[in-house]
Amino acid sequence: MKSAHQIALIVCVAVSSSQIACVASAELDDEEVAEVQQEVIVHNALTRNALTRNALTRNALTRNALTHNALTRNALMGNAFTSEALRDPESRELLSFIVSCALPEDEHVDIEVKGRRYRFRGELGLAPEWGKARGRCDEKCQEWVSACLLSRVNYMGEHVTISLRGNDHALASTRAERRRYDHVEAAYYGNVFLERQRRFACLAPGETSIPRVCGDSLEDCVVDVVGSCADVCNRPRSDGSFPHCRDREPIRFPFGIRVFPPRTEVYKRAITAFLE
């Protein structure tokens, strides 16, 4: 019997009625891949506007009000900024995905807006500590939740099922899942909770686009596509996911020498998406 926190992750547009629980997350070693027995189905149609244009601005959910406080009803509704922001449907949409990424499936957050009650359910459990009393979302939490949010943007609004993997127990996968979802799409990473959002993706080797997230062109994509994951990330783990990804491509010199420019940032928490 596998431990309760070893859970596979599959993402699609429709939420299954037979989801299992995700519990506390823990980062894995780069070469460790937990073998699990079941899968989780979650929603992946976060809109670009909810992530970028309105929901994380001074006019809506403020970054500090979110990350410096617990992801609980009392903390959200007790803060004037967040309680006012949640009147905006796009702010509620973003919050629903934040809760889904951060908290395990057996937890939820209830809020009341203009007499109407909303329930936001946890699913993946990438930052369960955020939902505890006096919880906060530190850099590790912010990067995991950001990678999860970016991987779940859906440009076309189509029903696309994907498998998400990374070096965290909440992203563990089954053998059957890895066989079925064997086409690497891209890796996603960054931090959307900073004043100037950092939204990055790298392409799977041989890929030139990410239509699910970017549409027909990379020019106006919600993420900055920085090149091939083979160039900007460490070698893939045994589940195919790319760890430790950088925010810019290396400078190439003769004889195969590559050097990253100064001030290149490395993101330890990246999530790789796989398609059928």
Side-chain angles (χ1 to χ4, degrees):
M1 178 68 68
K2 300 296 180 182
S3 62
H5 69 271
Q6 291 180 325
I7 303 163
L9 176 62
I10 285 186
V11 182
C12 71
V13 169
V15 179
S16 168
S17 61
S18 58
Q19 297 167 348
I20 65 167
C22 277
V23 296
S25 74
E27 291 186 2
L28 301 166
D29 293 334
D30 281 355
E31 286 307 308
E32 181 183 359
V33 176
E35 187 54 45
V36 295
Q37 296 175 325
Q38 295 177 305
E39 299 171 346
V40 171
I41 306 298
V42 294
H43 193 280
N44 88 321
L46 175 62
T47 63
R48 172 187 176 128
N49 285 348
L51 179 64
T52 63
R53 189 178 67 184
N54 293 326
L56 281 173
T57 68
R58 293 180 182 177
N59 295 326
L61 290 178
T62 60
R63 292 168 290 272
N64 289 344
L66 273 177
T67 59
H68 289 186
N69 295 286
L71 197 59
T72 63
R73 178 190 181 280
N74 288 343
L76 289 168
M77 301 313 294
N79 184 290
F81 291 107
T82 54
S83 60
E84 178 65 25
L86 290 170
R87 294 174 178 267
D88 174 18
E90 287 185 342
S91 294
R92 294 196 298 271
E93 179 188 351
L94 177 61
L95 181 63
S96 72
F97 279 92
I98 288 174
V99 173
S100 172
C101 289
L103 303 187
E105 198 230 7
D106 59 352
E107 295 184 17
H108 61 266
V109 178
D110 292 334
I111 65 168
E112 189 170 305
V113 178
K114 296 182 179 180
R116 182 172 180 181
R117 185 182 178 189
Y118 296 89
R119 170 161 290 184
F120 303 105
R121 299 183 183 276
E123 291 180 282
L124 307 186
L126 284 165
E129 68 284 353
W130 196 4
K132 307 302 181 185
R134 300 179 184 175
R136 295 181 60 171
C137 189
D138 59 12
E139 182 180 59
K140 172 186 170 183
C141 163
Q142 290 175 32
E143 290 188 2
W144 272 127
V145 174
S146 294
C148 177
L149 293 173
L150 293 170
S151 71
R152 296 172 72 177
V153 173
N154 192 309
Y155 180 89
M156 300 297 292
E158 296 176 346
H159 289 213
V160 179
T161 305
I162 62 177
S163 169
L164 299 184
R165 302 172 206 165
N167 63 334
D168 188 281
H169 281 289
L171 301 173
S173 56
T174 65
R175 285 196 180 100
E177 178 186 347
R178 295 194 293 273
R179 284 196 300 267
R180 181 175 180 182
Y181 298 89
D182 59 356
H183 181 78
V184 191
E185 177 193 57
Y188 302 90
Y189 49 99
N191 191 332
V192 303
F193 297 99
L194 299 177
E195 182 174 357
R196 186 171 182 178
Q197 288 185 333
R198 297 174 184 173
R199 307 187 303 270
F200 300 107
C202 62
L203 297 167
E207 295 295 323
T208 59
S209 63
I210 319 176
R212 179 181 66 88
V213 173
C214 300
D216 295 333
S217 172
L218 300 180
E219 294 291 325
D220 190 37
C221 186
V222 66
V223 292
D224 294 326
V225 179
V226 296
S228 171
C229 296
D231 290 332
V232 301
C233 304
N234 288 6
R235 64 186 176 88
R237 299 168 62 247
S238 53
D239 67 353
S241 64
F242 287 92
H244 295 79
C245 299
R246 296 158 180 83
D247 63 358
R248 66 187 74 190
E249 291 187 275
I251 301 170
R252 301 176 186 276
F253 293 95
F255 309 110
I257 298 174
R258 298 182 302 163
V259 177
F260 284 95
R263 296 183 296 279
T264 297
E265 298 242 4
V266 180
Y267 290 86
K268 296 180 181 179
R269 291 110 199 168
I271 292 180
T272 305
F274 294 76
L275 307 176
E276 289 187 271

